[in-house]
DNA sequence: ATTGAAACTTATCCACT
DNA sequence: AGTGGATAAGTTTCAAT
């Protein structure tokens, strides 16, 4: 899948600037644009590359409060909640983690009122524990 | 900054596919490529758009264990640790959250041995509490 | 697996609106 | 603030290696 140093260089470059052109990457690593294109196509097909995302500032979209919520669920509710959760637009990402049916999610909400409503909604299904984000120190 | 529905449509589209061409986005929302380009340039300048990232599967890079680590630090160590931490390649992202000098970070490591070493390194500065990721349920 | 050429598509600039 | 035309740059495909 990731064959050699050139693949790693391409991924390293794309990671931080997914809008870079093949030509630009090629100049950087000493390869023709078409070779870069073919390598990237292979990395996409083998799902080494899982997508190209744009980082948008939630604050500038009117979502001024971000938080991590840790939540444990009863076993019987777990899978139904996971389905319900997919329709919550507040959730930026969510992972299942070790511990008794535990989830960690990152959310973006308008304000503390919205946060409260969101927590109340979660509390119907489990025990959410919230930690509001003060600042992002590292973002890769 | 985000002026109207067209801006929101552009951001919504770019969010999930940051490699889309201006022409392609223009076709989608009924605008010329040059108009799309000008809007995106403005969204970049006003930092509504904070970057274009490629999602790479850590497992396919030989990083088979991912985890969230919650960590509280002593007040006097906090800022020096934040500087040290910036050189840890294992950290994918890290946020300061409410609570006594608390951090939440997401990390990717090779295996459980690597995880142990990493936790030991953190433990010199504070009290890390680790939750290994079993699966990603939502990724936006 | 990489190159370079050909054919096609896109980006960027600018005059016009 | 958007359009459309012109030009430079980029993408994609493919034969050759």
């Amino acid at each position: 899948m990731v064959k050699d140093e050139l693949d790693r260089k391409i991924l390293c470059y794309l990671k931080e600037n997914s809008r870079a052109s093949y030509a630009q990457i090629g100049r950087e690593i000493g390869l023709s644009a078409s070779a870069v294109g073919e390598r990237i196509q292979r990395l996409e097909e083998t799902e080494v590359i899982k997508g190209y995302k744009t980082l948008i500032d939630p604050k500038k979209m009117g979502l001024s409060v971000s938080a991590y919520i840790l939540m444990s669920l009863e076993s019987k509710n777990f899978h139904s909640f996971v389905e319900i959760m997919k329709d919550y637009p507040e959730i930026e990402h969510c992972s299942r983690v070790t511990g008794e049916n535990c989830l960690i999610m990152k959310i973006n909400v308008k304000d503390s009122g919205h946060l409260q409503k969101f927590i109340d909604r979660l509390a119907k299904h489990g025990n959410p524990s919230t930690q509001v984000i003060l600042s992002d120190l590292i973002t890769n």
Side-chain angles (χ1 to χ4, degrees), chain A:
Chain A
M1 319 218 207
V2 182
K3 291 190 309 180
D4 55 18
E5 194 53 31
L6 284 172
D7 273 7
R8 277 188 288 275
K9 279 184 182 170
I10 290 171
L11 289 169
C12 178
Y13 201 84
L14 270 181
K15 190 175 161 66
E16 298 308 313
N17 179 14
S18 60
R19 284 190 70 82
S21 70
Y22 297 163
Q24 192 179 339
I25 297 168
R27 269 177 246 121
E28 210 75 28
I29 66 171
L31 215 57
S32 67
S34 47
V36 172
E38 279 171 35
R39 276 172 179 265
I40 289 176
Q41 198 185 339
R42 180 176 42 74
L43 292 166
E44 288 170 352
E45 283 163 358
T46 57
E47 288 178 298
V48 175
I49 291 173
K50 290 169 74 185
Y52 301 103
K53 301 276 181 174
T54 299
L55 233 70
I56 296 162
D57 189 341
K59 292 205 181 358
K60 301 211 168 135
M61 298 295 284
L63 301 167
S64 63
V65 176
S66 297
Y68 279 97
I69 300 181
L70 288 72
M71 184 164 162
S72 62
L73 289 120
E74 283 183 54
S75 185
K76 62 180 167 65
N77 296 337
F78 188 76
H79 292 287
S80 66
F81 177 70
V82 168
E83 285 311 304
I84 292 167
M85 193 179 63
K86 286 175 182 166
D87 294 322
Y88 291 173
E90 291 91 347
I91 301 175
E92 187 182 316
H93 50 247
C94 178
S95 301
R96 184 178 184 177
V97 296
T98 49
E100 288 270 311
N101 302 304
C102 274
L103 300 176
I104 292 185
M105 58 185 95
K106 186 179 182 189
I107 64 153
N108 300 303
V109 289
K110 283 203 288 289
D111 50 34
S112 55
H114 187 186
L115 178 61
Q116 180 169 278
K117 274 188 217 157
F118 187 71
I119 293 170
D120 287 345
R121 229 187 303 155
L122 294 181
K124 290 173 191 158
H125 304 92
N127 298 302
S129 155
T130 305
Q131 297 194 267
V132 172
I133 295 175
L134 300 172
S135 61
D136 283 314
L137 302 171
I138 298 178
T139 322
N140 287 328

